[in-house]
Amino acid sequence: MRGILTWFVPQELKFFEMLRKQSGNVLYGAEQFKEFMLNYSKLSNKQKKEFVEKLKDIENNGDYIAHSIIEALNRTFITPFDREDIHRLVFLLDDVIDFIDITCRRIYIYNLKEVSESMKHMTNIIYKCVVEVNEGIRDLRKLKNIKTHCIKINTLENEADYIHTQSLAELFNNNH
């Protein structure tokens, strides 16, 4: 019965691959950002600028992928899951790489002399979250382990909230 239904009303499964491509791009951006942050104090100004430019290229690629997915979504009658959910997921992934790009750019523009341990810790958390999102999108087609990925992301979010609170307290306690 499912075969007949698929023949009459085919679903466009290309969205899973397109979403994987987009999440892979975000993961690559998160990897580059992590490398930038963890090695920041050892990098020359030229190397810092190269990271900023590389992240801008990754962000531009993310925009291109997002536009391609939206165009395909607008041309597709039957989608593998709700089109509004696909649309929202596309733009949330795009927001992640946008914020990574903006953060990297601001650190460079403000010419920070060093990044704090809490900033490095937050970068690590961001990277781990992006890894979980990437794995979740990879598992999306079979709806495999989605809840597990969400729980891990929530745990990492709680850890980030704690680091953020501690960093703010440290900032005000040290009169920076």
Side-chain angles (χ1 to χ4, degrees):
M1 179 67 177
R2 189 176 184 324
I4 294 172
L5 185 60
T6 302
W7 188 72
F8 282 113
V9 188
Q11 288 187 350
E12 288 290 338
L13 300 178
K14 65 184 170 195
F15 290 104
F16 293 114
E17 185 54 39
M18 294 172 92
L19 288 169
R20 277 194 288 275
K21 186 175 181 182
Q22 189 183 34
S23 70
N25 187 65
V26 174
L27 179 60
Y28 180 57
E31 289 167 349
Q32 294 304 305
F33 181 61
K34 181 180 171 185
E35 187 176 333
F36 173 75
M37 292 295 285
L38 297 181
N39 297 306
Y40 187 81
S41 62
K42 300 174 206 161
L43 298 174
S44 67
N45 275 344
K46 181 181 178 204
Q47 290 170 315
K48 290 173 186 175
K49 185 177 181 181
E50 288 170 358
F51 268 104
V52 169
E53 290 169 353
K54 185 186 289 187
L55 274 163
K56 188 60 183 170
D57 289 343
I58 295 168
E59 189 273 332
N60 286 336
N61 187 44
D63 288 342
Y64 174 79
I65 296 167
H67 293 293
S68 298
I69 295 171
I70 297 305
E71 284 178 19
L73 195 58
N74 290 336
R75 292 188 315 262
T76 304
F77 183 66
I78 303 290
T79 57
F81 54 98
D82 192 53
R83 73 180 51 253
E84 286 81 18
D85 291 338
I86 295 171
H87 192 272
R88 183 157 167 75
L89 183 56
V90 166
F91 283 103
L92 288 173
L93 286 168
D94 187 58
D95 286 348
V96 172
I97 195 62
D98 287 347
F99 286 126
I100 287 172
D101 173 52
I102 289 167
T103 303
C104 184
R105 188 171 300 283
R106 285 183 181 162
I107 289 169
Y108 176 73
I109 290 170
Y110 297 152
N111 195 26
L112 296 183
K113 301 301 176 212
E114 62 182 67
V115 294
S116 68
E117 286 304 310
S118 59
M119 291 170 72
K120 291 177 183 178
H121 196 167
M122 285 292 250
T123 301
N124 231 357
I125 292 171
I126 291 166
Y127 173 74
K128 289 177 184 178
C129 284
V130 171
V131 166
E132 287 301 322
V133 168
N134 188 59
E135 289 178 9
I137 289 175
R138 194 182 68 226
D139 295 341
L140 190 60
R141 185 171 181 178
K142 296 180 182 176
L143 295 177
K144 186 175 112 181
N145 301 323
I146 300 300
K147 186 175 181 179
T148 303
H149 297 301
C150 290
I151 291 168
K152 287 180 182 177
I153 290 169
N154 185 261
T155 301
L156 290 165
E157 179 187 6
N158 291 338
E159 186 180 341
D161 289 342
Y162 177 78
I163 299 295
H164 180 253
T165 302
Q166 293 302 110
S167 297
L168 285 176
E170 183 182 312
L171 182 68
F172 288 104
N173 288 334
N174 292 330
N175 296 320
H176 286 137

